[in-house]
Amino acid sequence: MQRVNLSAVSEFVFVGLSDAPEIRLLLFVLFLLIYLATMAGNITLLIAISTDSHLHSPMYFFLGNLSLLDLLCPTITVPKMLGALLLEHKEISFSGCLFQHFSLIAVVGTEIFLLAVMAYDRYVAVCHPLRYPSIVSTKLCAQLALGTWATGLLNSLLHTSLVFTLSFCGPNRIQQYYCDFPPVLALSCSSTHSTELVILVVAGVLGSGACVVTVVSYICILLEILARKSPGIWHKAFSTCGSHLAVVCLFYGTTIYTYVRPSSTYSPQWDRVVSMLYGMLTPLLNPIIYSLRNKDVKCALKRVISQVRRAL
């Protein structure tokens, strides 16, 4: 039988991060500064990639997509959290929660698939440098980028339809500062076992596929490095892949812990901390990680900053 939404809940209430007024003000200032820094860093990186001809290559095309995702991810959750901290407006409508949930899962899923695509790009750059322009062509880049966004959206559509067709007829306090599906599932007054099973299977298949692509790409890179035995090869490989590998470890670790597990292991306090890592710190650190060891990006950023200064 088709499941029908029997929801008697018209809105949800976030528990928030703190009830102490002095702590709320401190957290508001802290997270506002982090959010503004994240916006500034990723927007500047996007401008540099789009305006500098030296950065018109597949690697930076995918990095531009990553920066766009890092703009969207905190924008989905942080403004509402800041409003709750400053104005104590912790309510969100049922449809607003649905939209926030859909958007966040779409962005997180797309980023997981994009990181796998970027791992493949690094594999081709290290293992097949002479054939790199012909293999990773402009057409293939567009197809891979479109595929990651489409897969992320379809995956989110499935997750959201499964969660929000459940019945919500009791408590409406979400043990989180945004509409994430583990705390939302915990509020349902209908059985969630089948929903959890489907979500775990789909997330496991898609996430495992992305992880396999990433791991296999880096295994091939490692084998290629060991086979060449040329001086300076480790330093060159690390400068090529180190930034991406650092981002992968941080993002995959926190995301898998948060989503790919049963709700019985859900801990509201600890999960709020973990979700901030991939929801706020990762988008902040990504442009920094990719800029520190990349001379082309640093030169492009300097040109963008100098142009802004002249304009001002």
Side-chain angles (χ1 to χ4, degrees):
M1 293 178 63
Q2 186 176 2
R3 204 180 313 185
V4 180
N5 184 12
L6 301 175
S7 174
V9 173
S10 60
E11 67 178 15
F12 294 100
V13 179
F14 298 125
V15 170
L17 301 176
S18 175
D19 293 326
E22 62 277 6
I23 300 297
R24 286 208 312 270
L25 181 59
L26 178 63
L27 291 175
F28 172 82
V29 174
L30 174 63
F31 292 135
L32 177 61
L33 292 176
I34 293 176
Y35 179 65
L36 293 177
T38 302
M39 295 296 103
N42 284 286
I43 289 174
T44 304
L45 188 57
L46 275 173
I47 293 174
I49 292 173
S50 60
T51 58
D52 196 308
S53 59
H54 296 90
L55 303 183
H56 291 173
S57 65
M59 172 183 172
Y60 299 111
F61 171 74
F62 294 130
L63 181 56
N65 279 266
L66 182 64
S67 292
L68 180 57
L69 291 169
D70 287 339
L71 283 172
L72 293 175
C73 186
T75 302
I76 294 168
T77 60
V78 174
K80 183 66 179 177
M81 180 189 68
L82 293 176
L85 288 171
L86 186 65
L87 306 174
E88 297 189 57
H89 187 267
K90 301 179 181 180
E91 296 81 13
I92 186 171
S93 66
F94 188 90
S95 58
C97 186
L98 185 152
F99 178 75
Q100 188 184 65
H101 177 275
F102 172 81
S103 303
L104 184 64
I105 298 298
V107 169
V108 171
T110 302
E111 189 156 344
I112 289 176
F113 305 135
L114 181 63
L115 289 173
V117 169
M118 294 174 74
Y120 170 74
D121 173 71
R122 294 299 82 204
Y123 154 73
V124 179
V126 173
C127 299
H128 305 283
L130 298 179
R131 298 173 54 203
Y132 179 77
S134 60
I135 296 176
V136 189
S137 61
T138 302
K139 181 180 179 181
L140 179 63
C141 288
Q143 291 173 340
L144 290 174
L146 182 62
T148 59
W149 284 87
T151 306
L153 290 171
L154 291 174
N155 175 59
S156 180
L157 182 62
L158 174 63
H159 278 64
T160 306
S161 62
L162 287 172
V163 173
F164 285 88
T165 49
L166 296 170
S167 300
F168 296 92
C169 50
N172 67 340
R173 292 177 62 84
I174 298 178
Q175 298 291 328
Q176 186 55 283
Y177 64 91
Y178 62 94
C179 288
D180 202 8
F181 79 80
V184 171
L185 273 181
L187 298 178
S188 175
C189 53
S190 55
S191 176
T192 62
H193 295 297
S194 58
T195 298
E196 285 187 72
L197 180 60
V198 173
I199 288 176
L200 283 173
V201 169
V202 173
V205 171
L206 295 178
S208 298
C211 286
V212 166
V213 171
T214 303
V215 171
V216 169
S217 296
Y218 276 104
I219 289 176
C220 292
I221 290 172
L222 179 61
L223 294 176
E224 181 70 17
I225 293 172
L226 294 175
R228 288 186 188 179
K229 298 180 181 179
S230 59
I233 187 66
W234 283 101
H235 176 74
K236 184 178 180 180
F238 182 75
S239 64
T240 303
C241 308
S243 299
H244 176 262
L245 192 58
V247 171
V248 165
C249 292
L250 178 62
F251 184 84
Y252 272 47
T254 54
T255 304
I256 290 173
Y257 174 82
T258 302
Y259 292 109
V260 188
R261 60 193 175 90
S263 60
S264 58
T265 62
Y266 176 68
S267 173
Q269 293 80 12
W270 178 243
D271 282 16
R272 281 196 287 269
V273 175
V274 174
S275 63
M276 287 180 189
L277 289 177
Y278 78 81
M280 296 187 67
L281 289 184
T282 301
L284 172 66
L285 293 176
N286 282 354
I288 299 175
I289 292 173
Y290 275 98
S291 301
L292 287 178
R293 298 185 58 85
N294 193 306
K295 294 181 180 179
D296 292 334
V297 174
K298 284 191 284 188
C299 291
L301 291 176
K302 289 178 181 178
R303 283 191 287 269
V304 170
I305 293 172
S306 63
Q307 291 173 0
V308 171
R309 286 179 177 176
R310 285 197 298 268
L312 295 176

PDB file of all heavy atoms in Angstrom, residues 26-57:
ATOM      1  N   LEU A  26      27.784  34.726  22.403  1.00  0.00           N
ATOM      2  CA  LEU A  26      29.142  34.343  22.022  1.00  0.00           C
ATOM      3  C   LEU A  26      29.127  33.390  20.835  1.00  0.00           C
ATOM      4  O   LEU A  26      29.910  33.551  19.880  1.00  0.00           O
ATOM      5  CB  LEU A  26      29.846  33.692  23.220  1.00  0.00           C
ATOM      6  CG  LEU A  26      31.278  33.187  22.973  1.00  0.00           C
ATOM      7  CD1 LEU A  26      32.195  34.338  22.615  1.00  0.00           C
ATOM      8  CD2 LEU A  26      31.798  32.446  24.200  1.00  0.00           C
ATOM      9  N   LEU A  27      28.227  32.397  20.870  1.00  0.00           N
ATOM     10  CA  LEU A  27      28.121  31.454  19.759  1.00  0.00           C
ATOM     11  C   LEU A  27      27.654  32.145  18.482  1.00  0.00           C
ATOM     12  O   LEU A  27      28.118  31.821  17.384  1.00  0.00           O
ATOM     13  CB  LEU A  27      27.158  30.325  20.126  1.00  0.00           C
ATOM     14  CG  LEU A  27      27.621  29.347  21.211  1.00  0.00           C
ATOM     15  CD1 LEU A  27      26.509  28.363  21.552  1.00  0.00           C
ATOM     16  CD2 LEU A  27      28.873  28.607  20.778  1.00  0.00           C
ATOM     17  N   PHE A  28      26.738  33.107  18.625  1.00  0.00           N
ATOM     18  CA  PHE A  28      26.254  33.842  17.455  1.00  0.00           C
ATOM     19  C   PHE A  28      27.407  34.569  16.766  1.00  0.00           C
ATOM     20  O   PHE A  28      27.553  34.489  15.535  1.00  0.00           O
ATOM     21  CB  PHE A  28      25.179  34.852  17.880  1.00  0.00           C
ATOM     22  CG  PHE A  28      24.758  35.778  16.776  1.00  0.00           C
ATOM     23  CD1 PHE A  28      23.825  35.369  15.834  1.00  0.00           C
ATOM     24  CD2 PHE A  28      25.303  37.052  16.671  1.00  0.00           C
ATOM     25  CE1 PHE A  28      23.445  36.220  14.794  1.00  0.00           C
ATOM     26  CE2 PHE A  28      24.920  37.899  15.644  1.00  0.00           C
ATOM     27  CZ  PHE A  28      23.986  37.488  14.709  1.00  0.00           C
ATOM     28  N   VAL A  29      28.223  35.273  17.532  1.00  0.00           N
ATOM     29  CA  VAL A  29      29.355  36.008  16.957  1.00  0.00           C
ATOM     30  C   VAL A  29      30.352  35.050  16.316  1.00  0.00           C
ATOM     31  O   VAL A  29      30.831  35.270  15.197  1.00  0.00           O
ATOM     32  CB  VAL A  29      30.046  36.866  18.039  1.00  0.00           C
ATOM     33  CG1 VAL A  29      31.317  37.507  17.474  1.00  0.00           C
ATOM     34  CG2 VAL A  29      29.099  37.931  18.567  1.00  0.00           C
ATOM     35  N   LEU A  30      30.649  33.942  17.019  1.00  0.00           N
ATOM     36  CA  LEU A  30      31.610  32.966  16.510  1.00  0.00           C
ATOM     37  C   LEU A  30      31.153  32.363  15.193  1.00  0.00           C
ATOM     38  O   LEU A  30      31.903  32.346  14.199  1.00  0.00           O
ATOM     39  CB  LEU A  30      31.820  31.871  17.558  1.00  0.00           C
ATOM     40  CG  LEU A  30      32.700  30.690  17.130  1.00  0.00           C
ATOM     41  CD1 LEU A  30      34.120  31.151  16.833  1.00  0.00           C
ATOM     42  CD2 LEU A  30      32.701  29.602  18.206  1.00  0.00           C
ATOM     43  N   PHE A  31      29.901  31.870  15.157  1.00  0.00           N
ATOM     44  CA  PHE A  31      29.416  31.207  13.948  1.00  0.00           C
ATOM     45  C   PHE A  31      29.152  32.196  12.817  1.00  0.00           C
ATOM     46  O   PHE A  31      29.280  31.841  11.642  1.00  0.00           O
ATOM     47  CB  PHE A  31      28.156  30.400  14.263  1.00  0.00           C
ATOM     48  CG  PHE A  31      28.414  29.217  15.144  1.00  0.00           C
ATOM     49  CD1 PHE A  31      27.592  28.921  16.217  1.00  0.00           C
ATOM     50  CD2 PHE A  31      29.494  28.386  14.906  1.00  0.00           C
ATOM     51  CE1 PHE A  31      27.842  27.831  17.041  1.00  0.00           C
ATOM     52  CE2 PHE A  31      29.751  27.292  15.718  1.00  0.00           C
ATOM     53  CZ  PHE A  31      28.928  27.020  16.789  1.00  0.00           C
ATOM     54  N   LEU A  32      28.811  33.424  13.150  1.00  0.00           N
ATOM     55  CA  LEU A  32      28.646  34.444  12.111  1.00  0.00           C
ATOM     56  C   LEU A  32      29.983  34.726  11.436  1.00  0.00           C
ATOM     57  O   LEU A  32      30.057  34.832  10.200  1.00  0.00           O
ATOM     58  CB  LEU A  32      28.067  35.722  12.707  1.00  0.00           C
ATOM     59  CG  LEU A  32      27.902  36.904  11.733  1.00  0.00           C
ATOM     60  CD1 LEU A  32      26.948  36.542  10.605  1.00  0.00           C
ATOM     61  CD2 LEU A  32      27.431  38.150  12.468  1.00  0.00           C
ATOM     62  N   LEU A  33      31.046  34.840  12.228  1.00  0.00           N
ATOM     63  CA  LEU A  33      32.369  35.082  11.662  1.00  0.00           C
ATOM     64  C   LEU A  33      32.820  33.904  10.805  1.00  0.00           C
ATOM     65  O   LEU A  33      33.386  34.092   9.716  1.00  0.00           O
ATOM     66  CB  LEU A  33      33.374  35.337  12.783  1.00  0.00           C
ATOM     67  CG  LEU A  33      33.198  36.647  13.569  1.00  0.00           C
ATOM     68  CD1 LEU A  33      34.209  36.723  14.710  1.00  0.00           C
ATOM     69  CD2 LEU A  33      33.345  37.852  12.646  1.00  0.00           C
ATOM     70  N   ILE A  34      32.566  32.676  11.280  1.00  0.00           N
ATOM     71  CA  ILE A  34      32.927  31.491  10.497  1.00  0.00           C
ATOM     72  C   ILE A  34      32.144  31.468   9.182  1.00  0.00           C
ATOM     73  O   ILE A  34      32.703  31.180   8.111  1.00  0.00           O
ATOM     74  CB  ILE A  34      32.666  30.207  11.306  1.00  0.00           C
ATOM     75  CG1 ILE A  34      33.623  30.119  12.492  1.00  0.00           C
ATOM     76  CG2 ILE A  34      32.808  28.963  10.423  1.00  0.00           C
ATOM     77  CD1 ILE A  34      33.365  28.935  13.403  1.00  0.00           C
ATOM     78  N   TYR A  35      30.857  31.788   9.256  1.00  0.00           N
ATOM     79  CA  TYR A  35      30.015  31.779   8.046  1.00  0.00           C
ATOM     80  C   TYR A  35      30.484  32.828   7.046  1.00  0.00           C
ATOM     81  O   TYR A  35      30.604  32.548   5.844  1.00  0.00           O
ATOM     82  CB  TYR A  35      28.561  32.022   8.446  1.00  0.00           C
ATOM     83  CG  TYR A  35      27.602  32.066   7.285  1.00  0.00           C
ATOM     84  CD1 TYR A  35      27.374  30.942   6.507  1.00  0.00           C
ATOM     85  CD2 TYR A  35      26.918  33.243   6.964  1.00  0.00           C
ATOM     86  CE1 TYR A  35      26.498  30.980   5.437  1.00  0.00           C
ATOM     87  CE2 TYR A  35      26.042  33.287   5.902  1.00  0.00           C
ATOM     88  CZ  TYR A  35      25.832  32.149   5.136  1.00  0.00           C
ATOM     89  OH  TYR A  35      24.962  32.189   4.080  1.00  0.00           O
ATOM     90  N   LEU A  36      30.767  34.041   7.524  1.00  0.00           N
ATOM     91  CA  LEU A  36      31.227  35.107   6.632  1.00  0.00           C
ATOM     92  C   LEU A  36      32.581  34.760   6.018  1.00  0.00           C
ATOM     93  O   LEU A  36      32.817  35.018   4.831  1.00  0.00           O
ATOM     94  CB  LEU A  36      31.307  36.430   7.392  1.00  0.00           C
ATOM     95  CG  LEU A  36      29.972  37.022   7.864  1.00  0.00           C
ATOM     96  CD1 LEU A  36      30.210  38.295   8.668  1.00  0.00           C
ATOM     97  CD2 LEU A  36      29.048  37.290   6.683  1.00  0.00           C
ATOM     98  N   ALA A  37      33.470  34.160   6.817  1.00  0.00           N
ATOM     99  CA  ALA A  37      34.771  33.749   6.296  1.00  0.00           C
ATOM    100  C   ALA A  37      34.612  32.659   5.245  1.00  0.00           C
ATOM    101  O   ALA A  37      35.316  32.643   4.223  1.00  0.00           O
ATOM    102  CB  ALA A  37      35.670  33.268   7.439  1.00  0.00           C
ATOM    103  N   THR A  38      33.678  31.730   5.473  1.00  0.00           N
ATOM    104  CA  THR A  38      33.416  30.665   4.505  1.00  0.00           C
ATOM    105  C   THR A  38      32.894  31.232   3.198  1.00  0.00           C
ATOM    106  O   THR A  38      33.336  30.847   2.108  1.00  0.00           O
ATOM    107  CB  THR A  38      32.394  29.670   5.078  1.00  0.00           C
ATOM    108  OG1 THR A  38      32.894  29.124   6.299  1.00  0.00           O
ATOM    109  CG2 THR A  38      32.122  28.538   4.099  1.00  0.00           C
ATOM    110  N   MET A  39      31.944  32.171   3.302  1.00  0.00           N
ATOM    111  CA  MET A  39      31.415  32.804   2.100  1.00  0.00           C
ATOM    112  C   MET A  39      32.501  33.546   1.341  1.00  0.00           C
ATOM    113  O   MET A  39      32.629  33.420   0.108  1.00  0.00           O
ATOM    114  CB  MET A  39      30.291  33.784   2.478  1.00  0.00           C
ATOM    115  CG  MET A  39      29.047  33.156   3.094  1.00  0.00           C
ATOM    116  SD  MET A  39      28.160  32.039   1.973  1.00  0.00           S
ATOM    117  CE  MET A  39      28.689  30.459   2.642  1.00  0.00           C
ATOM    118  N   ALA A  40      33.295  34.327   2.066  1.00  0.00           N
ATOM    119  CA  ALA A  40      34.339  35.127   1.417  1.00  0.00           C
ATOM    120  C   ALA A  40      35.374  34.233   0.742  1.00  0.00           C
ATOM    121  O   ALA A  40      35.775  34.488  -0.410  1.00  0.00           O
ATOM    122  CB  ALA A  40      35.005  36.030   2.456  1.00  0.00           C
ATOM    123  N   GLY A  41      35.811  33.183   1.432  1.00  0.00           N
ATOM    124  CA  GLY A  41      36.830  32.302   0.877  1.00  0.00           C
ATOM    125  C   GLY A  41      36.377  31.580  -0.381  1.00  0.00           C
ATOM    126  O   GLY A  41      37.091  31.552  -1.392  1.00  0.00           O
ATOM    127  N   ASN A  42      35.173  31.025  -0.346  1.00  0.00           N
ATOM    128  CA  ASN A  42      34.689  30.261  -1.495  1.00  0.00           C
ATOM    129  C   ASN A  42      34.282  31.153  -2.655  1.00  0.00           C
ATOM    130  O   ASN A  42      34.488  30.787  -3.820  1.00  0.00           O
ATOM    131  CB  ASN A  42      33.523  29.369  -1.063  1.00  0.00           C
ATOM    132  CG  ASN A  42      33.977  28.150  -0.279  1.00  0.00           C
ATOM    133  OD1 ASN A  42      34.523  27.203  -0.835  1.00  0.00           O
ATOM    134  ND2 ASN A  42      33.770  28.178   1.034  1.00  0.00           N
ATOM    135  N   ILE A  43      33.701  32.317  -2.368  1.00  0.00           N
ATOM    136  CA  ILE A  43      33.355  33.243  -3.447  1.00  0.00           C
ATOM    137  C   ILE A  43      34.611  33.758  -4.134  1.00  0.00           C
ATOM    138  O   ILE A  43      34.680  33.841  -5.375  1.00  0.00           O
ATOM    139  CB  ILE A  43      32.506  34.413  -2.902  1.00  0.00           C
ATOM    140  CG1 ILE A  43      31.103  33.918  -2.525  1.00  0.00           C
ATOM    141  CG2 ILE A  43      32.393  35.535  -3.937  1.00  0.00           C
ATOM    142  CD1 ILE A  43      30.251  34.966  -1.839  1.00  0.00           C
ATOM    143  N   THR A  44      35.627  34.099  -3.342  1.00  0.00           N
ATOM    144  CA  THR A  44      36.890  34.559  -3.918  1.00  0.00           C
ATOM    145  C   THR A  44      37.525  33.479  -4.782  1.00  0.00           C
ATOM    146  O   THR A  44      38.036  33.757  -5.873  1.00  0.00           O
ATOM    147  CB  THR A  44      37.866  34.973  -2.803  1.00  0.00           C
ATOM    148  OG1 THR A  44      37.259  35.970  -1.977  1.00  0.00           O
ATOM    149  CG2 THR A  44      39.151  35.538  -3.389  1.00  0.00           C
ATOM    150  N   LEU A  45      37.480  32.232  -4.301  1.00  0.00           N
ATOM    151  CA  LEU A  45      38.044  31.133  -5.083  1.00  0.00           C
ATOM    152  C   LEU A  45      37.276  30.916  -6.378  1.00  0.00           C
ATOM    153  O   LEU A  45      37.874  30.673  -7.437  1.00  0.00           O
ATOM    154  CB  LEU A  45      38.044  29.853  -4.235  1.00  0.00           C
ATOM    155  CG  LEU A  45      38.773  28.632  -4.820  1.00  0.00           C
ATOM    156  CD1 LEU A  45      40.218  28.965  -5.134  1.00  0.00           C
ATOM    157  CD2 LEU A  45      38.705  27.464  -3.854  1.00  0.00           C
ATOM    158  N   LEU A  46      35.954  31.023  -6.323  1.00  0.00           N
ATOM    159  CA  LEU A  46      35.140  30.891  -7.539  1.00  0.00           C
ATOM    160  C   LEU A  46      35.460  31.988  -8.543  1.00  0.00           C
ATOM    161  O   LEU A  46      35.563  31.734  -9.755  1.00  0.00           O
ATOM    162  CB  LEU A  46      33.654  30.936  -7.170  1.00  0.00           C
ATOM    163  CG  LEU A  46      33.008  29.612  -6.735  1.00  0.00           C
ATOM    164  CD1 LEU A  46      31.594  29.859  -6.230  1.00  0.00           C
ATOM    165  CD2 LEU A  46      32.992  28.613  -7.888  1.00  0.00           C
ATOM    166  N   ILE A  47      35.604  33.214  -8.062  1.00  0.00           N
ATOM    167  CA  ILE A  47      35.934  34.329  -8.953  1.00  0.00           C
ATOM    168  C   ILE A  47      37.301  34.109  -9.590  1.00  0.00           C
ATOM    169  O   ILE A  47      37.493  34.336 -10.793  1.00  0.00           O
ATOM    170  CB  ILE A  47      35.898  35.664  -8.180  1.00  0.00           C
ATOM    171  CG1 ILE A  47      34.470  35.983  -7.736  1.00  0.00           C
ATOM    172  CG2 ILE A  47      36.444  36.804  -9.044  1.00  0.00           C
ATOM    173  CD1 ILE A  47      34.359  37.203  -6.836  1.00  0.00           C
ATOM    174  N   ALA A  48      38.268  33.653  -8.772  1.00  0.00           N
ATOM    175  CA  ALA A  48      39.612  33.406  -9.295  1.00  0.00           C
ATOM    176  C   ALA A  48      39.599  32.334 -10.377  1.00  0.00           C
ATOM    177  O   ALA A  48      40.238  32.479 -11.427  1.00  0.00           O
ATOM    178  CB  ALA A  48      40.546  33.011  -8.153  1.00  0.00           C
ATOM    179  N   ILE A  49      38.870  31.252 -10.140  1.00  0.00           N
ATOM    180  CA  ILE A  49      38.817  30.156 -11.107  1.00  0.00           C
ATOM    181  C   ILE A  49      38.132  30.590 -12.396  1.00  0.00           C
ATOM    182  O   ILE A  49      38.556  30.222 -13.504  1.00  0.00           O
ATOM    183  CB  ILE A  49      38.095  28.942 -10.488  1.00  0.00           C
ATOM    184  CG1 ILE A  49      38.944  28.335  -9.363  1.00  0.00           C
ATOM    185  CG2 ILE A  49      37.798  27.876 -11.544  1.00  0.00           C
ATOM    186  CD1 ILE A  49      38.243  27.245  -8.583  1.00  0.00           C
ATOM    187  N   SER A  50      37.079  31.379 -12.292  1.00  0.00           N
ATOM    188  CA  SER A  50      36.313  31.767 -13.487  1.00  0.00           C
ATOM    189  C   SER A  50      36.990  32.871 -14.297  1.00  0.00           C
ATOM    190  O   SER A  50      36.763  32.970 -15.506  1.00  0.00           O
ATOM    191  CB  SER A  50      34.908  32.221 -13.080  1.00  0.00           C
ATOM    192  OG  SER A  50      34.982  33.331 -12.195  1.00  0.00           O
ATOM    193  N   THR A  51      37.831  33.692 -13.663  1.00  0.00           N
ATOM    194  CA  THR A  51      38.416  34.842 -14.371  1.00  0.00           C
ATOM    195  C   THR A  51      39.860  34.628 -14.798  1.00  0.00           C
ATOM    196  O   THR A  51      40.339  35.337 -15.690  1.00  0.00           O
ATOM    197  CB  THR A  51      38.352  36.105 -13.480  1.00  0.00           C
ATOM    198  OG1 THR A  51      39.038  35.856 -12.244  1.00  0.00           O
ATOM    199  CG2 THR A  51      36.902  36.471 -13.193  1.00  0.00           C
ATOM    200  N   ASP A  52      40.569  33.687 -14.194  1.00  0.00           N
ATOM    201  CA  ASP A  52      41.981  33.472 -14.511  1.00  0.00           C
ATOM    202  C   ASP A  52      42.111  32.344 -15.527  1.00  0.00           C
ATOM    203  O   ASP A  52      41.713  31.209 -15.267  1.00  0.00           O
ATOM    204  CB  ASP A  52      42.762  33.134 -13.239  1.00  0.00           C
ATOM    205  CG  ASP A  52      44.264  33.271 -13.433  1.00  0.00           C
ATOM    206  OD1 ASP A  52      44.791  32.683 -14.401  1.00  0.00           O
ATOM    207  OD2 ASP A  52      44.908  33.959 -12.626  1.00  0.00           O
ATOM    208  N   SER A  53      42.702  32.640 -16.673  1.00  0.00           N
ATOM    209  CA  SER A  53      42.830  31.647 -17.743  1.00  0.00           C
ATOM    210  C   SER A  53      43.759  30.504 -17.347  1.00  0.00           C
ATOM    211  O   SER A  53      43.650  29.390 -17.890  1.00  0.00           O
ATOM    212  CB  SER A  53      43.354  32.316 -19.019  1.00  0.00           C
ATOM    213  OG  SER A  53      44.611  32.928 -18.778  1.00  0.00           O
ATOM    214  N   HIS A  54      44.682  30.750 -16.392  1.00  0.00           N
ATOM    215  CA  HIS A  54      45.589  29.692 -15.957  1.00  0.00           C
ATOM    216  C   HIS A  54      44.856  28.601 -15.175  1.00  0.00           C
ATOM    217  O   HIS A  54      45.385  27.499 -14.993  1.00  0.00           O
ATOM    218  CB  HIS A  54      46.696  30.278 -15.071  1.00  0.00           C
ATOM    219  CG  HIS A  54      47.598  31.241 -15.793  1.00  0.00           C
ATOM    220  ND1 HIS A  54      47.346  32.596 -15.853  1.00  0.00           N
ATOM    221  CD2 HIS A  54      48.737  31.033 -16.503  1.00  0.00           C
ATOM    222  CE1 HIS A  54      48.294  33.191 -16.546  1.00  0.00           C
ATOM    223  NE2 HIS A  54      49.143  32.273 -16.969  1.00  0.00           N
ATOM    224  N   LEU A  55      43.657  28.911 -14.706  1.00  0.00           N
ATOM    225  CA  LEU A  55      42.899  27.960 -13.899  1.00  0.00           C
ATOM    226  C   LEU A  55      41.755  27.322 -14.680  1.00  0.00           C
ATOM    227  O   LEU A  55      40.879  26.707 -14.087  1.00  0.00           O
ATOM    228  CB  LEU A  55      42.350  28.650 -12.643  1.00  0.00           C
ATOM    229  CG  LEU A  55      43.383  29.313 -11.721  1.00  0.00           C
ATOM    230  CD1 LEU A  55      42.710  29.887 -10.484  1.00  0.00           C
ATOM    231  CD2 LEU A  55      44.473  28.334 -11.325  1.00  0.00           C
ATOM    232  N   HIS A  56      41.763  27.476 -15.988  1.00  0.00           N
ATOM    233  CA  HIS A  56      40.715  26.872 -16.814  1.00  0.00           C
ATOM    234  C   HIS A  56      41.147  25.467 -17.224  1.00  0.00           C
ATOM    235  O   HIS A  56      41.484  25.190 -18.374  1.00  0.00           O
ATOM    236  CB  HIS A  56      40.430  27.740 -18.040  1.00  0.00           C
ATOM    237  CG  HIS A  56      39.779  29.043 -17.702  1.00  0.00           C
ATOM    238  ND1 HIS A  56      39.553  30.044 -18.626  1.00  0.00           N
ATOM    239  CD2 HIS A  56      39.300  29.508 -16.515  1.00  0.00           C
ATOM    240  CE1 HIS A  56      38.970  31.069 -18.037  1.00  0.00           C
ATOM    241  NE2 HIS A  56      38.811  30.768 -16.757  1.00  0.00           N
ATOM    242  N   SER A  57      41.143  24.557 -16.248  1.00  0.00           N
ATOM    243  CA  SER A  57      41.527  23.168 -16.473  1.00  0.00           C
ATOM    244  C   SER A  57      40.565  22.278 -15.698  1.00  0.00           C
ATOM    245  O   SER A  57      39.838  22.767 -14.820  1.00  0.00           O
ATOM    246  CB  SER A  57      42.974  22.933 -16.019  1.00  0.00           C
ATOM    247  OG  SER A  57      43.090  23.105 -14.625  1.00  0.00           O
TER     248      SER A  57
END
